[in-house]
Amino acid sequence: MKQKLIQLIATACLAAGILCLAQTDVKAEYIQDTENGVSYDNEETISVGYAYDYSNGAGGYTYVSLSKDGDRVTNVRSSSSNLIAKKTSEQIYTSTSTDYEYDEETYSGKYVTKTTTSYDYAYISFFAKKAGKYKVTFDVIDASGKVKCTKTISVKTYRTTYTKPIVKSIKYAGKEFYEHYPFTTKKQGKLSVKLAKGYKLVSIERGTYNANGEMVYKKIKNNKTLKLATSTKYKKSYSYADHSVDELFPATSIRLNIINNKTKEEFTYYYELCTMNKK
């Protein structure tokens, strides 16, 4: 049987959203501040209501590189409530050293273990509720917490939509996904899926992230209550560093497995229902 995988993400922000498929169109000047050891893109262009990368947070992001030990990105803020900005990921390095410290007054000494933490980079993620031009600023602090510098990113947002003919209707809590845009406080509601004529819904699966940041799917029934994930915070450990993730949108993935009754061709559609993580 010929199998076809169509990965179409229908973003639903805070429990549903606009159907969008435009790729993020980045037009940026890469800034390298050698004095402060900070590098980043100072301009991003993203689609309204679109979130394509949940591991990093949203419809677009800026990668901030830090070259000096102890420095960290903090205090991310947006110029408007219509553009949400948040630090969603950073690379953490931890090193431990043991030194012998001698006290000349007491003629004695002891071994002292010190742990040093440094941050190699950070991701700042964005989500736009309305089209327009915005400013996002962030601070870079040193190991003592002192602000070394403040940087500004220009974010331009535009609107685009995409419709899928096979899925005739998909509703959450009684409304089509796009009707929930941009946000809803509903953490659970009935999920209803209707397909175009000639297609069969084989199964619906609910996917959520586990503690290791892996998406785990479980079958659910059509026209039944769906509970959304409200928290997605995890840490991955590698041999060289820990990777801490605190996502802007805790995502509940909806996977529709569909078959064409005539050709027996199989399709898989992906949707995302999201809550807002402001903590």
Side-chain angles (χ1 to χ4, degrees):
M1 180 184 297
K2 184 178 179 182
Q3 191 169 8
K4 186 176 182 181
L5 177 65
I6 300 180
Q7 297 188 356
L8 301 179
I9 298 178
T11 301
C13 301
L14 258 181
I18 291 292
L19 307 185
C20 298
L21 272 185
Q23 292 295 319
T24 299
D25 186 13
V26 178
K27 299 177 181 178
E29 177 186 359
Y30 193 67
I31 302 298
Q32 292 181 297
D33 180 351
T34 55
E35 180 180 353
N36 290 301
V38 184
S39 301
Y40 64 101
D41 289 329
N42 75 331
E43 183 177 313
E44 301 291 341
T45 303
I46 64 175
S47 174
V48 170
Y50 183 56
Y52 71 94
D53 190 342
Y54 285 88
S55 63
N56 287 320
Y61 61 86
T62 287
Y63 171 87
V64 182
S65 177
L66 304 170
S67 63
K68 296 188 177 181
D69 289 343
D71 288 359
R72 192 178 191 184
V73 171
T74 187
N75 197 22
V76 177
R77 59 265 193 202
S78 172
S79 62
S80 171
S81 59
N82 290 323
L83 179 74
I84 296 166
K86 178 187 176 182
K87 182 178 71 174
T88 51
S89 180
E90 59 187 358
Q91 186 90 306
I92 306 166
Y93 288 91
T94 304
S95 60
T96 302
S97 61
T98 301
D99 299 314
Y100 185 79
E101 294 185 355
Y102 181 74
D103 189 337
E104 295 182 353
E105 292 184 0
T106 61
Y107 302 102
S108 63
K110 61 180 178 180
Y111 286 97
V112 178
T113 300
K114 296 180 179 179
T115 300
T116 302
T117 302
S118 61
Y119 303 86
D120 183 53
Y121 65 78
Y123 280 95
I124 297 175
S125 297
F126 313 114
F127 178 80
K129 294 187 281 183
K130 290 185 178 181
K133 297 180 179 180
Y134 309 97
K135 298 289 185 182
V136 172
T137 56
F138 64 92
D139 297 330
V140 176
I141 59 174
D142 60 21
S144 68
K146 181 181 179 181
V147 176
K148 295 178 60 178
C149 59
T150 299
K151 301 299 182 182
T152 301
I153 306 163
S154 297
V155 182
K156 300 177 182 179
T157 67
Y158 61 94
R159 184 180 298 278
T160 185
T161 59
Y162 183 88
T163 57
K164 297 186 289 296
I166 294 177
V167 180
K168 186 177 181 180
S169 172
I170 179 167
K171 292 183 178 182
Y172 175 76
K175 295 182 178 180
E176 295 288 348
F177 274 18
Y178 68 87
E179 292 183 81
H180 288 278
Y181 174 80
F183 302 116
T184 179
T185 57
K186 293 182 181 296
K187 300 299 188 297
Q188 65 179 33
K190 186 171 73 173
L191 178 70
S192 300
V193 179
K194 292 182 180 180
L195 304 182
K197 186 177 180 180
Y199 294 92
K200 178 184 178 181
L201 182 61
V202 178
S203 64
I204 305 174
E205 295 174 288
R206 174 186 186 269
T208 55
Y209 288 108
N210 61 19
N212 297 319
E214 302 164 330
M215 183 66 76
V216 179
Y217 284 94
K218 182 179 180 180
K219 287 186 178 181
I220 60 175
K221 294 182 178 181
N222 197 10
N223 297 313
K224 296 294 182 180
T225 298
L226 171 69
K227 293 183 178 181
L228 302 181
T230 57
S231 176
T232 305
K233 189 174 183 179
Y234 56 87
K235 181 181 290 185
K236 289 188 175 181
S237 296
Y238 302 93
S239 59
Y240 57 88
D242 288 331
H243 187 69
S244 176
V245 178
D246 185 12
E247 294 183 356
L248 182 60
F249 299 101
T252 300
S253 178
I254 304 299
R255 185 162 66 184
L256 306 183
N257 299 304
I258 301 167
I259 191 169
N260 185 312
N261 290 331
K262 184 177 181 180
T263 65
K264 304 306 178 183
E265 191 172 14
E266 295 181 358
F267 301 85
T268 300
Y269 283 91
Y270 289 85
Y271 294 80
E272 298 285 358
L273 301 180
C274 306
T275 54
M276 177 63 66
N277 176 13
K278 293 183 178 181
K279 295 182 180 180

